[in-house]
């Protein structure tokens, strides 16, 4: 039985998205760099009575990420929807971060999403259906967050490129752009934000959106 895979399934949006899909009865695969957050989220999903597969992988490690996606698919079946929610969020002004630091941020914020899409989207395209979603941000660049602004701009471009490549074959590629700090009980409550992911996944093809902006 196919279901959802959340990459970057830690506290916040990742956990809320996993819960939202589990609430609909979908099996859920959880992938994150550290085992601790995965154990916590998996424990919460047990209340929904759905199969849950858990794997650790750093999104910047191509081999590890591909292996984790394969392992989840072996356990749950080819995914109907994959959500890339990994990001490196830290403040840095122009020139403050080294070249290595910028490349490390780019690897998490953009290249990991490309690796995941390149691994799962071709199979979705062959089946003629599937959803690949990313968590975006920074609709306007901020000088206090140079690496994140660059990464989210790159991620938005990646969504457009993936849509060009796989959209005609029935794969819905889209981004949820969050324009503010995520925190429970606020206008940027992760449970509210998670609703966008479910709505994008269930949109009829004639109504597909490529980006949803959550402004609170």
């Amino acid at each position: 039985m196919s279901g959802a895979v959340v990459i970057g399934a830690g506290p916040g949006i990742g956990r809320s998205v996993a819960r939202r899909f589990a609430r609909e009865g979908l099996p859920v695969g959880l992938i994150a760099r550290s085992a601790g957050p995965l154990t916590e989220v998996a424990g919460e999903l047990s209340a929904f009575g759905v199969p849950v597969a858990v794997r650790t992988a750093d999104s910047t490690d191509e081999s590890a990420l591909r292996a984790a996606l394969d392992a989840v698919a072996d356990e749950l079946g080819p995914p109907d929807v994959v959500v890339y929610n990994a990001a490196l969020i830290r403040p840095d002004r122009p020139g403050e971060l080294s070249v290595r630091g910028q490349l490390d941020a780019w690897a998490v914020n953009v290249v990991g999403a490309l690796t995941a899409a390149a691994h799962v989207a071709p199979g979705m395209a062959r089946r003629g259906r599937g959803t690949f979603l990313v968590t975006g941000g920074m609709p306007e660049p901020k000088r206090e967050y140079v690496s994140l602004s660059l990464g989210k701009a790159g991620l938005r471009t990646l969504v457009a490129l993936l849509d060009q490549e796989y959209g005609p074959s029935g794969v819905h590629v889209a981004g949820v752009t969050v324009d503010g700090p995520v925190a429970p009980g606020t206008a940027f409550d992760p449970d509210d934000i998670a609703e966008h992911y479910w709505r994008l996944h269930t949109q009829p093809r004639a109504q597909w959106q490529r980006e949803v902006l959550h402004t609170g």
Side-chain angles (χ1 to χ4, degrees), residues 186-209:
T186 70
F188 293 90
D189 191 302
D191 288 345
D192 294 336
I193 295 169
E195 293 295 329
H196 297 304
Y197 295 81
W198 177 253
R199 184 170 60 81
L200 285 167
H201 177 53
T202 57
Q203 275 182 341
R205 184 167 181 172
Q207 299 174 16
W208 277 1
Q209 294 172 275

Side-chain angles (χ1 to χ4, degrees), residues 110-182:
V110 182
V111 181
L114 175 57
T115 298
H119 197 71
V120 301
M124 292 177 175
R126 288 192 294 271
R127 296 190 296 273
R129 69 184 190 282
T131 309
F132 187 85
L133 304 175
V134 303
T135 301
M138 298 296 180
E140 297 294 332
K142 292 181 171 60
R143 62 180 179 174
E144 300 88 354
Y145 289 90
V146 172
S147 61
L148 188 61
S149 294
L150 291 172
K152 294 305 183 183
L155 197 61
R156 190 173 294 110
T157 298
L158 178 62
V159 166
L161 295 172
L162 295 174
D163 176 61
Q164 292 173 21
E165 182 71 15
Y166 302 111
S169 298
V171 182
H172 186 189
V173 183
V176 177
T177 298
V178 182
D179 188 19
V182 177

Side-chain angles (χ1 to χ4, degrees), residues 70-147:
D70 284 340
V72 170
D74 287 343
E75 190 169 339
L76 302 179
D80 292 320
V81 53
V82 173
V83 176
Y84 188 84
N85 182 62
L88 182 56
I89 301 172
R90 60 186 176 193
D92 61 282
R93 288 178 176 268
E96 287 184 350
L97 205 58
S98 67
V99 170
R100 181 72 262 168
Q102 289 287 353
L103 291 174
D104 289 345
W106 185 260
V108 177
N109 295 331
V110 182
V111 181
L114 175 57
T115 298
H119 197 71
V120 301
M124 292 177 175
R126 288 192 294 271
R127 296 190 296 273
R129 69 184 190 282
T131 309
F132 187 85
L133 304 175
V134 303
T135 301
M138 298 296 180
E140 297 294 332
K142 292 181 171 60
R143 62 180 179 174
E144 300 88 354
Y145 289 90
V146 172
S147 61

